[in-house]
Amino acid sequence: MYCAISGVVPDEPVVSKKSGHLFEKRLILKHIQTTGKCPVTDEDLTEQDLIAVQENVIVRPRTSSATSIPSLLSLFQSEWDSVVSEMYQLKKQLHDTKQQLAQALYENDAAKRVIARLLKERDEALELAKQGTTNTGTTTNGAMNRETAEDVNNTVHNEEDFNMEVEDNTGVVLLPPLVLEQIDKTSQELISYRKNRKVSASGISKERMESYREEKNLKVHTGKEKEIVALSQSPKDSSLLFSAGKDKTVKLFTLETEKTLISVSAHKAPLTDLVVHPNENIFITSSIDNTAVVWHWGNGDKSKPKASNTVNIHEGAVTQLSLHPCLSYFVTASEDCTWAFHDLESGDCLSRATKGSTGIASIGIHPDGLILGTGFSNGELNIWDIREMKVALSIRESSSVDDTAKISSLSFSENGYHMASMNHTLVELWDLRKPGTAIRNWNVVEGRKCCFDSSGVYLGVLCANEVKIMETKKGLEGLNIVSSRDLSSNDSLTTILLAKDMERIILGDVKGCIHVLNIPE
């Protein structure tokens, strides 16, 4: 006879009068004090319902496994292994339950948005019917008469919240109306500014550009994985530089004193990208841990940044980030084949889109803020309409499944007409006014990153062992600026930053070093 709770022979057995089950007395008493119910049948149970079972008192011999200290240790180890295994199973079940709950919440939220869209369409139709009745007063073969419209309108229940996101007929959640209004307003302002702006290139001649030389070499990141993945200058002070590395940290240091001002452990896994807000003390990081984090820090240079929001909607590594020209929103791209549009202040995901079955390797937003580009791991390149959350233009379909086809970087020119894309072996320059065929292309070896300067005239191209500057305005061949043998080390380069007016070129490498290139006076 075994206890129904512990599964072992009880020392002081008792039987429930109601269910007839056998229990260890001390165990069932504790259970009754806690719940007041039978652990097997879940019926009400009291101590008076228990009957003691009389048994012969005998001395049970110890098992052979409990007759020595080594045997006891082995027994304890076996019990510990069983407990650990059970804890693992419980954690796994908890994780699965959380995922199911998240899916249910997402489906519930989507259903509410569909309802909101249908209610909105219904009200718009009723309003049009009322306007038609007022203007024509017709009935049967035309619009409804006034009485009919009023009767139908009286059956409509008011809906309080019409600011929810709306889904289109493909099921994609569109951005809220207030966000779209802000995007359109910002776009009109930027387009007007761009029409009137005067392009001022750096004024640096071809001969002087070829004279870029390394001025400084700074060791910034340390550890086992110290490769620099992204660089960004502080908009308020060009001498301050942000650096993100695979050592999971973000560093803020000054080029003048070569001292690190801030070091923050940003993620639990290596970082993939970094974006700095131009007006606020805010920066955003992404990582292969499937998250992106928004960071705030105080006015002092040495104030510790604090994570304000964490984006964890992706099921794959977050590969790249881009800040919207409104400066209130940002987008994330992921290896789970999706990109998402987020609110910077709250961190909420406002919309999410997907295409294909391969991961998104790169993303960039057009300077006007109405479209964005995505580059996929299979070489596919698309332009998206942000307002409609759908592909507006497929520049190139998938070409391969190997790593050489992956669009590792793309960049929009400030002039609004050109976009550059880069894979392992090719850099292509696209004219958005004449889609379909690249207007220029350059062969490269181990391509890393491409980016336009602030004027939109020069395109910086980084390969593992060299840097090239392309003058896109005249379509000249690339100017070979510097190769790795001109640097203080021969380590492979990983990322590039073109300072304003091309005053300097800043490079990062796999050993966690920053190389600052200037033109000698």
Side-chain angles (χ1 to χ4, degrees), residues 97-329:
T97 303
K98 286 182 177 180
Q99 286 186 327
Q100 293 173 6
L101 177 60
Q103 179 66 21
L105 291 174
Y106 179 79
E107 292 176 354
N108 180 65
D109 187 52
K112 288 181 178 179
R113 290 169 179 160
V114 172
I115 293 171
R117 174 176 62 83
L118 294 176
L119 289 172
K120 183 177 181 181
E121 292 177 354
R122 177 205 61 191
D123 290 347
E124 290 175 351
L126 289 174
E127 186 64 27
L128 290 174
K130 289 171 63 177
Q131 293 176 1
T133 302
T134 303
N135 295 332
T136 63
T138 59
T139 58
T140 200
N141 298 328
M144 296 183 298
N145 60 26
R146 183 181 300 275
E147 290 78 14
T148 305
E150 290 178 352
D151 290 340
V152 174
N153 192 45
N154 289 334
T155 65
V156 177
H157 299 284
N158 293 328
E159 181 71 22
E160 294 180 357
D161 187 7
F162 282 102
N163 290 325
M164 297 179 67
E165 296 90 334
V166 181
E167 292 190 359
D168 65 2
N169 54 10
T170 64
V172 177
V173 178
L174 302 182
L175 296 175
L178 292 178
V179 176
L180 294 175
E181 182 179 349
Q182 186 177 0
I183 290 176
D184 289 337
K185 181 180 178 181
T186 302
S187 175
Q188 292 172 4
E189 293 174 353
L190 292 174
I191 292 174
S192 176
Y193 160 76
R194 188 166 291 105
K195 288 180 179 179
N196 298 323
R197 81 183 185 109
K198 295 182 179 179
V199 178
S200 58
S202 63
I204 302 176
S205 64
K206 176 179 178 181
E207 290 73 17
R208 292 201 65 197
M209 274 199 172
E210 292 178 333
S211 64
Y212 273 105
R213 293 295 178 266
E214 182 179 16
E215 178 189 40
K216 294 181 179 181
N217 178 13
L218 311 176
K219 181 70 174 179
V220 180
H221 294 271
T222 58
K224 185 177 180 180
E225 290 186 277
K226 48 197 172 183
E227 175 182 330
I228 297 176
V229 297
L231 296 169
S232 182
Q233 269 187 312
S234 170
K236 300 178 181 179
D237 186 351
S238 60
S239 66
L240 296 179
L241 191 67
F242 288 84
S243 174
K246 285 190 175 181
D247 60 355
K248 312 172 190 176
T249 65
V250 173
K251 309 277 189 179
L252 172 60
F253 58 95
T254 172
L255 294 176
E256 294 179 352
T257 61
E258 302 182 9
K259 291 184 178 180
T260 299
L261 304 178
I262 294 175
S263 178
V264 57
S265 181
H267 290 262
K268 297 180 180 180
L271 275 63
T272 56
D273 202 5
L274 166 74
V275 171
V276 178
H277 196 285
N279 299 332
E280 306 290 340
N281 289 341
I282 299 174
F283 65 88
I284 314 169
T285 58
S286 62
S287 169
I288 64 174
D289 63 6
N290 305 354
T291 66
V293 181
V294 180
W295 300 84
H296 288 72
W297 80 96
N299 293 324
D301 290 338
K302 295 184 179 181
S303 60
K304 195 73 172 179
K306 296 181 179 180
S308 59
N309 298 303
T310 300
V311 174
N312 53 10
I313 65 166
H314 291 291
E315 299 177 358
V318 181
T319 52
Q320 278 196 9
L321 305 163
S322 187
L323 185 66
H324 193 274
C326 290
L327 305 181
S328 299
Y329 311 101

Side-chain angles (χ1 to χ4, degrees), residues 386-406:
I386 295 179
R387 292 171 297 185
E388 299 293 332
M389 294 300 293
K390 65 182 181 181
V391 175
L393 177 64
S394 181
I395 295 182
R396 187 173 59 210
E397 297 297 332
S398 60
S399 57
S400 178
V401 294
D402 57 23
D403 290 338
T404 61
K406 179 174 72 174

